[in-house]
Amino acid sequence: MDAPQAALSAAELVAAKSFPGVVWTTDAELVVTACCGGILERVGIDARAPVGRTIREWFGTDDPTHPAVAAHERALRGETVHFQVVSLGLDLDSRVEPVWTGDLVTGVVGLAVEVVGDETGAVVFERRIAQQEATAALALDAVAGSDLVDLFRVACDAVAEEVGASVSAVVEVRADEPVLDVRAIHLDPSYRMPASRGLEATLAARAVDTGETAVTGSYSSDPELVSASHPFESGIAAPLTREDGVYGALVAFSREMHAFSETDVYFVSTVANILSSAITRTGAERLSVAAIETIPSALLIVDDDARIVQANAAAEVLTALPRSQLLGRLSHTLAPDPDAAPARFARFLAGSPRREAEVRRPDGEIRDVTVFGYPNFQPGLHLIVMHDVTEQRQLERSLHEAQRMEAVGQLAAGIAHDFNNLLAAIRGFCEVVRDDLPSGSEMRTDVETIHSAAEQGIAIVNRLLAFARPSDPQDVSVVSVPALVDRARPLLQQALRPDLSLAISVPTAANVLVRPADLEQALINLVINARDAIAESGAIRVSAEERELGRAEAAALGLVPDRYIRIAVEDDGEGMDDATRIRATQPFFTTKEPGRGTGLGLAMVSRLAEAAGGAVEIESDPGVGSTISLYLPVVDAPERPSPPGPIAVEGGEETLLVVDDNPTVLRLAARFLTRLGYTVVTAGSSMEALSLFGPGIDAAVLDVVMPVEGGRRLAERLRAARPGLPVVFVSAFSDESGDDVLAKPYTEGELAHAVRSAIRGSGDR
């Protein structure tokens, strides 16, 4: 996660009511800042209740080893942690991960889903989809006017199958005495349920008395139910009603303790609502009450022309259209591609009942749906049931992209290591050969050209690492915006197609506090985004101006009143509608064709803005173009001047032990140091180095990452024999960078400076 706001946006997305979970975010003190999710509503908890409380208060413990507390503490240290915990009366499979602002962990985002046996995550979601399909099928039977007893049997079978109950039954309360009569049942073969029994001390009695679904996870520990003479531990009882009062209950039992999830309870309650409507009403009344209003999924009834003749409340929610605008409308006009929809409707009538589809809302938002069709359920009428799976699909895509980006990061680090070693040899030996050639000679010019190409390769590797790994906070510095834009001009021009023009106007001399490579990458991302928005020839304009934002302007951008520099990239491309503009900076959101974009370009720009205390503003109109502005606070400090020139090369007469597992890099280091006057002993491994180490060695240059034993462990062993031995660590791995590590590829001057500094300080470089 890149920032608390991004984490909250993801939390609200993932924890939509259709997702059986809960998502929360905290600040760096582990105080809950946001919380939402379907579980909270089902267990009767206000999502605002945990907000403002610490994680320890929320989970009711001061024990630092509690799984939830320990996991959050680890997340603050930058780890992603999975754990299981019992909370809200449920067994939850949970994951927490750090929220990054720049390179600092500023909070935690967590996701939990209910564990049902061995089922978690997507399995739970698919189980809920199956339950929704079952309710739709039951409603179809109700619409078709099925016999009531047959409908009861179908309901019992569906409940037993979908919630894993050993027994499910419809029981009726006698009008003249407190006795339950079984009207339909699905039985575990090992249990024989009596046809009648007393109402007293039953779960059904609790549901009938309260008018609400009753649940127990343990009959043996429930004081009102301990006398129940059956082998079950868990139970659900949902009341069944009719016009003149109570009819009875729909019950489900399991031999396992706490066998039913909140999703199961919701399913049984929904089935009971359908049965209650069927008990009370007939024919046409069932059509509107049972089949239409009680289904949690969107339901449409269409005629042979695909014209909508009935819709339920869930259809209004899914389409964002009132029922008055749905009725009489052709169903295929709800699709993003209405021209192709009639052919799909023809296949539907021919018996293609299930497919994946999309629904376009009036504001342009696209919702992913799974569609189930029941053609000719009545003569001339066809039932369409749509399950909104947008959040699930988004979660799947986000997880896929996150995994892909993690793989890219790991791949980038490995590539950088290999290329750094190659570039070290190319650039280093170019320097050696160049210094031996006369100035102005053609051969020297050729070598300098190779040297320049190696420098460009090093710059590419550094940009690759900047994309794949978070930056070091110490890399943040005062940057002159005009100077940076001028340096980036060739890269911006290279990113464009020949049919596009680029105009740059940066009259301001303002400075900002950022990581230079991040601002350069953000500018490139904005220009590439503008390029891709222009289908044919066009123009892109880059400008920067200093602006004093007052209270109103700053508040509109989520900023505080102050001086800002506004870096704007304007294009005359296709533009964005409001729905696209609102989501444009969300990670992994893209309108480009698959394979053309990751949805990270504007997200990275937004991340930079947040880390620097700025903001991103998007102004766009379809068919006109877009202007994306990056606001960054102005700083009065001057830009740090560039180094005056090459580092002074200072040699010595000491004897150095140089250890590196790459033979080319080892030979280059030895060549550099020999030219500086040192006596060099080389080794290709830690074991070889230990065998060569002796009293005559004055200092060591060690590669950090080597097979079998790395440089740091080798340094410990050398210093055990020679306390205070000066050591210079070198590495081509970005993860090993730091104040005490000389990064590859290095120049002769950088290596010389590192060695002299270590010898003078008698410690690590």
Side-chain angles (χ1 to χ4, degrees):
M1 295 294 171
D2 292 336
Q5 292 84 352
L8 179 57
S9 174
E12 291 170 341
L13 174 68
V14 175
K17 291 182 180 180
S18 64
F19 186 81
V22 58
V23 175
W24 64 95
T25 57
T26 80
D27 60 17
E29 303 299 323
L30 294 183
V31 175
V32 178
T33 56
C35 185
C36 52
I39 282 180
L40 297 175
E41 181 178 350
R42 292 198 297 276
V43 299
I45 293 180
D46 188 336
R48 294 169 295 183
V51 176
R53 303 170 64 189
T54 66
I55 289 298
R56 294 191 181 203
E57 290 171 342
W58 187 12
F59 286 91
T61 179
D62 287 325
D63 181 5
T65 64
H66 184 279
V69 175
H72 282 77
E73 294 287 353
R74 289 173 60 190
L76 284 180
R77 296 194 292 270
E79 299 180 52
T80 295
V81 185
H82 289 82
F83 64 98
Q84 283 194 304
V85 67
V86 176
S87 182
L88 309 177
L90 306 172
D91 188 11
L92 300 178
D93 183 55
S94 311
R95 185 181 80 170
V96 292
E97 60 181 85
V99 174
W100 295 92
T101 300
D103 300 311
L104 300 177
V105 177
T106 56
V108 173
V109 60
L111 165 70
V113 292
E114 183 182 1
V115 177
V116 183
D118 293 329
E119 299 177 351
T120 60
V123 176
V124 175
F125 184 88
E126 292 299 330
R127 185 174 184 181
R128 187 170 184 187
I129 290 293
Q131 291 176 353
Q132 290 181 346
E133 294 172 15
T135 57
L138 184 67
L140 180 61
D141 288 339
V143 170
S146 298
D147 177 77
L148 199 56
V149 174
D150 290 339
L151 195 64
F152 287 168
R153 292 195 186 101
V154 171
C156 291
D157 291 343
V159 167
E161 180 175 354
E162 299 302 336
V163 306
S166 302
V167 172
S168 61
V170 172
V171 294
E172 181 183 4
V173 179
R174 291 183 187 176
D176 54 348
E177 56 181 323
V179 174
L180 295 172
D181 293 319
V182 176
R183 297 306 181 203
I185 192 167
H186 179 105
L187 273 177
D188 182 331
S190 65
Y191 174 69
R192 180 176 296 278
M193 188 171 182
S196 300
R197 65 160 297 154
L199 180 63
E200 185 179 0
T202 64
L203 200 61
R206 187 178 293 175
V208 168
D209 291 342
T210 63
E212 298 179 352
T213 300
V215 183
T216 183
S218 175
Y219 267 91
S220 59
S221 59
D222 193 319
E224 297 180 6
L225 302 174
V226 291
S227 61
S229 56
H230 57 64
F232 305 118
E233 278 291 351
S234 301
I236 307 173
L240 299 175
T241 60
R242 55 190 174 195
E243 284 185 339
D244 58 351
V246 175
Y247 175 87
L250 172 63
V251 297
F253 304 108
S254 172
R255 297 176 184 272
E256 304 295 328
M257 295 180 65
H258 304 289
F260 302 122
S261 68
E262 293 301 319
T263 300
D264 295 336
V265 174
Y266 179 76
F267 170 68
V268 173
S269 299
T270 302
V271 172
N273 289 338
I274 296 174
L275 295 183
S276 294
S277 297
I279 292 167
T280 303
R281 309 181 188 279
T282 61
E285 291 176 307
R286 292 187 206 166
L287 181 65
S288 60
V289 178
I292 302 299
E293 296 306 324
T294 62
I295 300 298
S297 299
L299 187 151
L300 301 175
I301 296 176
V302 302
D303 60 19
D304 288 335
D305 296 323
R307 196 172 301 277
I308 301 171
V309 299
Q310 189 57 281
N312 69 346
E316 293 181 286
V317 174
L318 173 63
T319 62
L321 290 170
R323 200 168 315 199
S324 60
Q325 294 184 26
L326 283 172
L327 300 183
R329 185 186 188 117
L330 292 173
S331 61
H332 61 254
T333 61
L334 300 174
D337 53 345
D339 293 340
R344 289 197 295 267
F345 185 68
R347 291 195 296 271
F348 159 69
L349 294 179
S352 178
R354 174 172 179 163
R355 63 184 177 86
E356 301 299 315
E358 295 177 331
V359 169
R360 182 191 293 275
R361 288 178 166 174
D363 63 1
E365 181 184 1
I366 302 296
R367 304 296 292 180
D368 295 319
V369 293
T370 299
V371 180
F372 293 86
Y374 302 88
N376 293 304
F377 77 99
Q378 285 188 356
L381 294 178
H382 317 285
L383 183 63
I384 299 173
V385 180
M386 294 182 288
H387 305 306
D388 189 342
V389 295
T390 305
E391 280 69 38
Q392 172 69 4
R393 297 295 177 258
Q394 180 65 32
L395 178 61
E396 291 171 354
R397 287 191 289 267
S398 296
L399 289 175
H400 174 73
E401 290 294 343
Q403 292 167 351
R404 188 162 68 90
M405 291 308 301
E406 177 63 22
V408 168
Q410 295 174 359
L411 179 62
I415 290 174
H417 172 263
D418 293 340
F419 269 87
N420 277 337
N421 280 331
L422 290 172
L423 293 168
I426 295 171
R427 185 178 69 173
F429 281 111
C430 277
E431 294 173 1
V432 171
V433 174
R434 179 193 61 194
D435 293 347
D436 291 338
L437 293 172
S439 178
S441 69
E442 184 176 358
M443 184 68 74
R444 180 169 180 136
T445 301
D446 292 343
V447 171
E448 288 175 342
T449 301
I450 298 172
H451 185 274
S452 177
E455 292 281 5
Q456 294 178 28
I458 292 169
I460 292 172
V461 169
N462 289 335
R463 284 200 293 272
L464 180 64
L465 290 175
F467 172 77
R469 291 284 186 265
S471 60
D472 189 331
Q474 295 180 353
D475 289 342
V476 175
S477 60
V478 177
V479 175
S480 167
V481 172
L484 183 137
V485 173
D486 190 59
R487 290 194 299 270
R489 186 188 297 263
L491 293 174
L492 301 180
Q493 194 66 57
Q494 291 172 15
L496 301 184
R497 303 191 305 268
D499 59 344
L500 298 177
S501 65
L502 177 67
I504 298 178
S505 174
V506 188
T508 181
N511 294 340
V512 294
L513 186 64
V514 295
R515 183 178 182 272
D518 288 346
L519 182 54
E520 180 181 291
Q521 187 63 55
L523 189 58
I524 293 171
N525 287 349
L526 290 175
V527 170
I528 290 175
N529 193 73
R531 177 201 68 189
D532 292 344
I534 302 174
E536 298 177 357
S537 61
I540 297 173
R541 293 164 290 281
V542 178
S543 62
E545 61 176 345
E546 186 175 334
R547 296 183 60 180
E548 183 85 29
L549 296 185
R551 186 181 301 274
E553 288 181 296
L557 293 167
L559 301 174
V560 297
D562 204 344
R563 292 164 52 223
Y564 293 86
I565 185 167
R566 173 181 176 262
I567 303 172
V569 176
E570 181 183 0
D571 67 69
D572 53 7
E574 61 186 20
M576 294 178 259
D577 56 28
D578 287 343
T580 302
R581 179 179 55 79
I582 291 170
R583 300 183 62 194
T585 59
Q586 293 179 4
F588 308 115
F589 174 76
T590 180
T591 58
K592 300 174 184 177
E593 296 86 354
R596 287 199 60 204
T598 64
L600 288 173
L602 290 182
M604 292 172 67
V605 176
S606 180
R607 174 188 178 187
L608 165 68
E610 290 173 359
V616 174
E617 180 184 43
I618 301 177
E619 301 168 281
S620 186
D621 290 304
V624 177
S626 303
T627 299
I628 302 180
S629 301
L630 172 61
Y631 286 84
L632 297 173
V634 172
V635 296
D636 294 324
E639 183 176 29
R640 184 172 60 189
S642 302
I647 299 174
V649 178
E650 181 182 0
E653 299 179 353
E654 290 85 357
T655 299
L656 307 179
L657 174 63
V658 181
V659 187
D660 198 304
D661 64 308
N662 186 296
T664 305
V665 175
L666 181 63
R667 182 169 176 266
L668 175 65
R671 186 71 176 271
F672 277 164
L673 295 170
T674 301
R675 281 161 44 101
L676 294 168
Y678 295 104
T679 300
V680 178
V681 178
T682 61
S685 68
S686 294
M687 295 304 295
E688 185 181 2
L690 290 170
S691 68
L692 295 174
F693 185 68
I697 301 297
D698 300 305
V701 179
L702 309 178
D703 189 14
V704 175
V705 180
M706 295 185 292
V708 183
E709 184 174 82
R712 296 193 184 277
R713 174 58 182 150
L714 175 59
E716 293 176 2
R717 299 178 68 177
L718 295 178
R719 284 174 173 163
R722 178 86 55 77
L725 177 74
V727 173
V728 174
F729 293 112
V730 299
S731 181
F733 278 103
S734 61
D735 290 346
E736 294 292 342
S737 62
D739 290 340
D740 66 336
V741 178
L742 177 62
K744 298 177 184 177
Y746 47 74
T747 64
E748 183 179 65
E750 290 168 342
L751 180 59
H753 177 73
V755 170
R756 291 317 307 170
S757 296
I759 291 174
R760 290 194 185 101
S762 296
D764 295 347
R765 179 262 178 197

